[in-house]
Amino acid sequence: MTIRTSWVLAVLGLAAGVAAAATAAFEVPPLMQPPVATQHPGKLIWAELMTPDIAAAKRFYGGLFGWTFQDIHAGTAEYSVARLAGAPIAGLVQRPTRAGRQPQPRWLTFLSVPSVHAAAKLILAHGGRQLVAPRAYRQRGQQGVYADPQGAVFAVLNSRSGDPPDVLAAPGEWIWSALLARDPAGDAAFYQDVFGFEVFELPRSGRGAHLVLASEQYARASVNPLPQEDDVRPHWIDFVRVTNVADTAAAVSALGGRVVVGPHPDRHGSRVALLADPAGALIGVLEWSAPGGAGEAK
Amino acid sequence: MRRLHVAAGLAGLLAMALLLGGCAAEGVGVAAGYDEDYWGGPTVDYDMDFDEPFGFGYGYGYGGFDYGYGGWGPGYFVGPPAWGYGAPVEVGGGLQRPYRPAPPSRPLPSIPVGPRGPGTRGLPR
């Protein structure tokens, strides 16, 4: 090795290191490790919190659900992966407030699709809007963010490592989603066209139709009329299973959040509640009791 | 002096080898249904800076908790159907629907309630 060759190699190595550091890819972990072969179109498989205060969110959700967090920094992104028993359960995204813009802390629902690009075509063809164009992440897969025709925001994800299995959610895991829509029947038609859901009808309330979206023989989400007409926009709410809704609600205030709709029984016979985290993002909690005591709410 | 030059060159080689090895180690298994055709290379940022298309409308301000969310009164249900609900629901005939309703013979399905098998992620129930 000549002296010139030695120094050329040294410089190349140094340059490669600098370049790699500067362009470090944003790596979010795979949903499943080891990967599985199955995907469940239409299922809630991931959720992300858009928040202006990621530290407060970690305290809140860690205290409420026992989630732990793994921070990821790359580019301008500040992101934290929430985990339950080591498995990724959600993402927290720091989204700073900007002058003249209303902050929008919120949970974003990710529904499984077999192809993001095919889903995007259907979404746009049926009156939806694209908010974030499809992008690919090396480990997670491909995703895009959209709004349905009534303005409710959701994301689609084609998980590169497959989808979480269809088993009863453990406490601390996502168990259910509810879409609150101005026109539930119209929105149900949109999601049926995009995701191929079966639509089941429940007894109507005075405000309109109550519907259940199902895929692969499982109920995936409900579609409901908005609780009031004047102020609330259509949106998705994701529910985490807890063992006792009242106990969870009682812990919210000390963690910096607020109970928006107090614990009360829902159609499945157990209690639900609607909470707001310290920044105001809404999240539902839900008890679930199965026959024979499996997953019995305590 | 020559030793220093050689050492520098070897250090450069080592750095490049480590980088290449790191890239190779990043790969994960791929689900059978994953469509690699749209893979566009690694993304260096996480762009989720979107606006709500029609505003947010919870009626609150950040930190203010001025909620105008409305009450979920009796009969306002958002949760899943009860386990083993089973029976189809009669909503009423003649209703014009923009969606295709499930056939009346189809029982209302439950959420997944199966046990967690070995090797599945997360907590055992």
Side-chain angles (χ1 to χ4, degrees):
Chain A
M1 186 182 290
T2 66
I3 291 175
R4 175 177 290 181
T5 305
S6 298
W7 283 107
V8 165
L9 288 173
V11 169
L12 280 176
L14 187 63
V18 170
T23 60
F26 183 85
E27 286 294 352
V28 283
L31 266 57
M32 300 300 296
Q33 198 65 285
V36 296
T38 51
Q39 294 182 314
H40 304 293
K43 178 180 179 174
L44 164 68
I45 54 170
W46 186 249
E48 275 180 0
L49 176 68
M50 311 291 138
T51 180
D53 190 346
I54 204 167
K58 283 193 225 175
R59 284 193 298 274
F60 181 80
Y61 294 104
L64 214 57
F65 303 134
W67 294 352
T68 57
F69 301 94
Q70 171 202 355
D71 293 338
I72 298 173
H73 302 281
T76 58
E78 191 172 342
Y79 188 97
S80 189
V81 180
R83 294 179 180 272
L84 183 70
I89 198 88
L92 312 184
V93 184
Q94 176 86 26
R95 198 158 68 164
T97 56
R98 282 192 259 156
R101 180 179 174 189
Q102 185 183 6
Q104 300 169 332
R106 61 162 303 128
W107 278 97
L108 180 62
T109 306
F110 284 69
L111 301 175
S112 173
V113 291
S115 164
V116 169
H117 285 256
K121 286 180 184 172
L122 288 170
I123 290 167
L124 299 179
H126 290 92
R129 298 184 189 190
Q130 179 174 283
L131 304 184
V132 177
R135 300 184 78 174
Y137 296 92
R138 186 191 303 273
Q139 297 189 3
R140 177 187 288 175
Q142 298 159 36
Q143 65 184 55
V145 183
Y146 300 88
D148 70 26
Q150 298 179 39
V153 177
F154 65 100
V156 296
L157 171 60
N158 182 16
S159 166
R160 193 166 189 259
S161 58
D163 292 345
D166 273 331
V167 297
L168 179 58
E173 290 184 330
W174 304 107
I175 188 168
W176 186 243
S177 294
L179 172 63
L180 307 191
R182 204 171 301 287
D183 170 17
D187 245 359
F190 168 81
Y191 287 94
Q192 182 175 61
D193 288 334
V194 173
F195 295 94
F197 285 122
E198 282 190 287
V199 179
F200 290 83
E201 297 169 328
L202 296 168
R204 298 170 69 89
S205 75
R207 296 188 183 96
H210 284 265
L211 305 163
V212 167
L213 305 178
S215 67
E216 300 180 305
Q217 317 286 338
Y218 289 117
R220 300 295 189 192
S222 64
V223 188
N224 317 275
L226 286 167
Q228 65 178 32
E229 290 292 337
D230 55 346
D231 203 15
V232 182
R233 305 286 193 274
H235 59 284
W236 282 88
I237 297 174
D238 297 325
F239 288 79
V240 171
R241 185 182 175 203
V242 297
T243 53
N244 188 307
V245 163
D247 288 350
T248 303
V252 164
S253 177
L255 294 166
R258 170 166 291 203
V259 177
V260 178
V261 178
H264 64 282
D266 204 277
R267 65 168 62 97
H268 64 297
S270 296
R271 291 172 296 183
V272 301
L274 185 64
L275 314 175
D277 73 11
L282 296 175
I283 187 168
V285 289
L286 183 153
E287 296 170 351
W288 181 262
S289 300
E296 194 74 32
K298 294 170 186 167
Chain B
M1 193 63 180
R2 182 174 178 80
R3 282 183 185 167
L4 175 64
H5 298 310
V6 171
L10 290 175
L13 281 174
L14 180 64
M16 284 189 283
L18 286 173
L19 283 168
L20 290 172
C23 291
E26 281 179 354
V28 295
V30 180
Y34 187 74
D35 186 356
E36 288 278 17
D37 289 347
Y38 293 107
W39 170 249
T43 305
V44 298
D45 207 340
Y46 198 67
D47 175 18
M48 296 296 267
D49 194 22
F50 59 87
D51 284 312
E52 308 288 329
F54 304 112
F56 207 45
Y58 285 166
Y60 65 89
Y62 172 53
F65 287 120
D66 179 21
Y67 279 98
Y69 197 75
W72 290 3
Y76 185 79
F77 297 138
V78 300
W83 192 92
Y85 189 93
V89 177
E90 288 294 333
V91 176
L95 203 62
Q96 288 292 329
R97 303 168 174 88
Y99 54 86
R100 302 175 298 283
S105 58
R106 292 268 296 124
L108 188 62
S110 167
I111 63 169
V113 294
R116 195 174 300 267
T120 53
R121 65 175 214 167
L123 292 166
R125 287 193 300 107

